[in-house]
C-alpha cells in the first residue's frame, strides 16, 4: 500500500468522495450514520473521514485515497493487523467449503476445543456474533443457574448496546434497567453494599478486566479488588462474569485476570477473537455447563464457519508469535513516548489505561477542544488517533509505526501548545 498522506498540515479527511457519500447517507440512513462510528455526532475533528476503502497491516486508507497509520484497529477487532495473511488464508479455505451449510461445521468444535485449551477457566464455549450477544447470554446463564434476578455492574462501565446496558437513554424503559445495580469499580466497599442491599437476589457481578469509561481516565484493576469480587461471589453464590469483549486476547491469552490469579465463572469475548471477522464467545466453567445448556442461545448467523476459521487462525497465530508480548512492548514505547512529547511541548496531556489500549485526555478540556486539535493535527500527519476513546495497538505495529505515531503526536502537541 502506498502512502499518499502528506507530512505537511493539509486537510486529509472529508475529501470529495467522503463528502459525497455522507450526503447520500443522510438521505437513506437516519442521521447519516449511527452508533459510535458516526464522526459527525461523536465530537470528532472535522477532517476525520467517515468512509474507508481498504486496510492492510497497521494502515487504513479512506475513500479519498488518504492513508493513515491506524491506532484504533477498527475499535478493537483487529488484533494481528488488517488482512493478516494466515487469517485470510484460513478464511479463503473455509469460503471454498462454505460459510453456512445447513448446520455447524467441524470448526465449531475445533474452536471450542482451542478456547478450552487456551482460556484458563474455560471448560466449554458457545459462540455468537457481537460482544452484546455474549454479555447478554452470560447474564441469562447466570440467572438460569441461580434463579436470581439482579446483575451488579460498575457505574458507567459499558457492557453492550442492548436496552439494559446502553448508555444512551432513548427508547429505554425503567423495566429494562430495574435489575441492574451499580457499584464503583475498584471499590470493594461499594460492591459489598450493592450486594447487601440485594441480599439473596444477586445473580451475577459483571466486570471488565480494567476500567474503561467513555470520557474519564482508564484504570487498571486493583488485584485486591479482583480477589474481593471473587470472594464475594463465592460467599453469596453469585456468578462472576468477566466482560473481556474489549480486552480479551490483548492482555493475556489465558484470560485477562489470570495474571493476577483471579478466575471468572463466565467470560464474554468478541472484538479481537476473529481478527475482524464477526464472532463472539462465551466461555464457562463446568459448574455452569447445565445452566448454559438450559438457555435458548441462537442467532441466524451464529454458526457461520468462516469467522470460526478466522478465530482459530487468529488464536494460533497470536500464541505462536508471542503477539501479546510484542504488543505490550510497543504499547510501552507508545505510552512512554507520548508522556515525553507532553513534557517536551509543555502540554497537560494525561495518558491512562493499559499500554496496549491507552487513552489520552487533556486537563481542563471538557469540550475536547484540545484533544481535537491534537488528533486533527496528527491526522494531517497521516496518523489516526482518537480524541476520547482508548486506542488499540496491534501485532502489526512496529517500532517504526509507533515512532511515526509519536512524530505526529509531537506535531499535535505543538498545535495544542499554540492554541492554549
Ligand atoms: C467491554 C465491552 N463489552 C461489550 C461491548 C459490546 O460489544 P459489541 O459492540 O460487539 O456488541 C463492548 C463494545 O465496545 C465493550 O467494550
Amino acid at each position: 500500500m502506498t502512502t499518499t498522506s502528506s507530512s505537511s498540515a493539509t486537510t486529509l479527511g472529508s475529501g470529495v468522495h467522503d463528502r459525497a457519500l455522507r450526503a447520500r447517507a443522510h438521505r437513506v440512513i437516519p442521521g447519516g450514520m449511527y452508533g459510535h462510528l458516526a464522526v459527525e455526532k461523536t465530537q470528532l475533528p472535522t477532517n476525520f473521514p467517515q468512509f474507508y476503502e481498504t486496510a492492510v497491516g497497521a494502515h487504513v486508507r479512506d475513500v479519498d485515497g488518504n492513508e493513515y497509520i491506524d491506532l484504533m484497529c477498527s475499535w478493537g477487532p483487529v488484533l494481528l493487523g488488517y488482512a493478516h495473511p494466515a487469517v485470510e488464508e484460513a478464511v479463503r479455505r473455509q469460503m471454498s467449503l462454505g460459510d453456512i451449510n445447513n448446520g455447524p461445521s467441524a470448526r465449531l468444535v475445533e474452536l471450542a476445543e482451542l478456547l478450552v485449551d487456551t482460556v484458563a477457566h474455560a471448560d466449554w464455549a458457545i459462540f455468537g456474533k457481537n460482544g452484546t450477544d455474549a454479555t447478554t447470554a452470560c447474564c441469562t446463564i447466570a440467572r438460569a443457574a441461580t434463579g436470581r434476578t439482579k446483575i451488579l455492574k460498575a457505574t458507567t462501565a459499558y457492557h453492550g448496546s442492548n436496552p439494559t446496558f446502553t448508555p444512551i437513554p432513548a427508547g429505554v424503559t425503567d423495566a429494562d434497567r430495574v435489575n441492574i445495580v451499580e457499584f464503583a469499580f475498584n471499590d470493594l466497599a461499594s460492591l459489598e453494599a450493592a450486594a447487601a442491599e440485594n441480599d439473596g437476589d444477586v445473580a451475577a457481578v459483571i466486570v471488565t478486566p480494567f476500567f474503561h469509561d467513555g470520557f474519564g481516565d482508564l484504570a487498571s484493576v486493583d488485584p485486591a479488588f479482583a480477589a474481593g469480587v471473587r470472594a464475594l461471589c463465592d460467599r453469596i453464590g453469585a456468578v462472576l462474569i468477566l466482560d473481556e469483549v474489549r480486552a480479551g486476547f490483548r492482555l493475556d491469552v489465558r484470560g485477562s485476570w489470570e495474571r493476577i490469579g483471579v478466575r471468572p465463572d463466565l467470560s464474554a469475548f468478541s472484538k479481537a477473537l476473529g481478527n475482524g471477522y464477526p464472532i463472539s464467545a462465551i466461555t464457562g466453567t463446568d459448574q455452569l455447563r447445565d445452566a448454559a445448556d438450559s438457555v435458548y442461545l441462537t442467532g441466524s448467523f451464529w454458526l457461520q464457519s468462516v469467522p470460526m476459521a478466522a478465530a482459530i487462525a487468529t488464536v494460533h497465530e497470536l500464541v505462536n508469535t508471542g503477539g501479546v508480548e510484542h504488543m505490550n512492548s510497543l504499547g510501552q514505547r507508545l505510552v512512554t513516548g507520548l508522556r515525553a512529547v507532553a513534557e517536551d511541548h509543555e502540554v497537560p496531556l494525561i495518558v491512562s489505561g493499559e499500554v496496549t489500549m491507552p487513552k489520552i485526555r487533556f486537563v481542563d478540556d471538557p469540550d475536547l477542544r484540545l484533544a481535537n486539535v491534537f488528533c486533527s493535527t496528527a491526522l494531517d500527519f497521516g496518523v489516526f488517533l482518537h480524541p476520547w476513546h482508548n486506542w488499540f495497538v496491534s501485532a502489526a505495529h512496529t517500532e517504526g509505526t509507533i515512532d511515526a505515531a509519536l512524530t505526529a503526536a509531537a506535531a499535535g502537541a505543538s498545535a495544542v501548545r499554540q492554541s492554549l
Side-chain angles (χ1 to χ4, degrees):
M1 194 178 265
T2 54
T3 300
T4 55
S5 60
S6 137
S7 61
S8 65
T10 52
T11 297
L12 296 176
S14 303
V16 58
H17 296 295
D18 193 76
R19 278 196 292 275
L21 279 168
R22 287 188 202 208
R24 285 167 57 193
H26 271 287
R27 285 194 286 275
V28 290
I29 295 167
M33 180 57 195
Y34 41 85
H36 63 299
L37 296 182
V39 296
E40 291 165 19
K41 293 183 208 160
T42 55
Q43 295 175 277
L44 292 183
T46 52
N47 61 339
F48 269 44
Q50 178 71 81
F51 294 98
Y52 294 84
E53 192 67 33
T54 187
V56 177
H59 297 82
V60 296
R61 187 184 290 174
D62 70 20
V63 286
D64 286 287
N66 303 302
E67 186 172 301
Y68 314 98
I69 292 172
D70 171 50
L71 272 160
M72 285 308 286
C73 293
S74 278
W75 296 63
V78 174
L79 179 71
L80 303 173
Y82 292 94
H84 187 275
V87 178
E88 296 310 307
E89 175 53 29
V91 163
R92 274 193 297 275
R93 205 178 320 121
Q94 188 58 47
M95 281 294 271
S96 72
L97 296 169
D99 190 17
I100 295 190
N101 298 329
N102 208 37
S105 71
R107 303 300 87 71
L108 173 72
V109 183
E110 291 161 9
L111 180 57
E113 287 171 344
L114 181 59
L115 291 195
V116 166
D117 286 347
T118 308
V119 176
H121 83 116
D123 293 318
W124 52 264
I126 289 170
F127 302 101
K129 291 280 102 182
N130 292 295
T132 308
D133 296 342
T135 54
T136 306
C138 284
C139 294
T140 312
I141 292 168
R143 286 176 170 138
T146 60
R148 304 176 186 170
T149 52
K150 298 284 193 259
I151 306 288
L152 274 43
K153 74 172 273 290
T155 308
T156 70
Y158 183 63
H159 295 294
S161 58
N162 64 20
T164 302
F165 290 132
T166 176
I168 308 291
V172 174
T173 67
D174 290 346
D176 293 319
R177 314 268 208 195
V178 76
N179 289 315
I180 297 296
V181 182
E182 295 198 328
F183 60 89
F185 193 93
N186 271 346
D187 181 345
L188 209 45
S190 93
L191 176 65
E192 288 282 358
E197 274 163 32
N198 295 278
D199 191 23
D201 199 24
V202 178
V205 178
I206 185 167
V207 63
T208 51
F210 69 104
F211 186 65
H212 43 69
D213 179 12
F215 289 92
D217 292 337
L218 312 188
S220 297
V221 69
D222 174 356
F225 172 75
V229 178
R230 179 70 275 172
L232 175 126
C233 286
D234 291 343
R235 198 181 73 234
I236 67 173
V239 174
L240 171 47
I241 302 170
L242 194 59
D243 178 353
E244 295 259 29
V245 171
R246 191 173 308 188
F249 298 102
R250 290 187 180 275
L251 300 177
D252 191 320
V253 290
R254 303 166 303 165
S256 295
W257 276 5
E258 199 58 23
R259 297 177 303 171
I260 53 171
V262 177
R263 286 197 183 155
D265 301 305
L266 293 174
S267 293
F269 292 95
S270 187
K271 290 193 184 285
L273 178 56
N275 201 50
Y277 286 88
I279 186 159
S280 59
I282 304 129
T283 55
T285 58
D286 270 333
Q287 286 82 351
L288 292 164
R289 190 183 286 264
D290 289 346
D293 186 35
S294 72
V295 170
Y296 186 56
L297 297 172
T298 189
S300 297
F301 298 101
W302 281 21
L303 296 176
Q304 275 181 295
S305 293
V306 165
M308 292 181 184
I312 292 167
T314 301
V315 174
H316 277 310
E317 188 71 16
L318 185 73
V319 171
N320 294 341
T321 60
V324 171
E325 294 73 22
H326 175 68
M327 289 187 285
N328 232 343
S329 120
L330 292 181
Q332 196 60 61
R333 188 180 186 92
L334 175 64
V335 165
T336 306
L338 284 169
R339 291 190 177 127
V341 160
E343 209 177 308
D344 289 352
H345 292 83
E346 297 178 344
V347 290
L349 175 70
I350 311 283
V351 186
S352 66
E354 304 291 332
V355 296
T356 52
M357 286 168 277
K359 176 178 183 297
I360 58 145
R361 176 177 73 80
F362 285 88
V363 176
D364 292 334
D365 188 32
D367 60 359
L368 301 177
R369 186 183 69 83
L370 299 179
N372 277 0
V373 167
F374 181 80
C375 292
S376 166
T377 306
L379 194 79
D380 286 342
F381 280 76
V383 178
F384 191 98
L385 306 175
H386 201 280
W388 56 260
H389 193 276
N390 74 269
W391 309 345
F392 295 89
V393 173
S394 82
H397 286 99
T398 60
E399 291 188 352
T401 50
I402 295 299
D403 290 348
L406 291 171
T407 302
S414 167
V416 168
R417 179 81 231 151
Q418 283 161 37
S419 76
L420 280 176

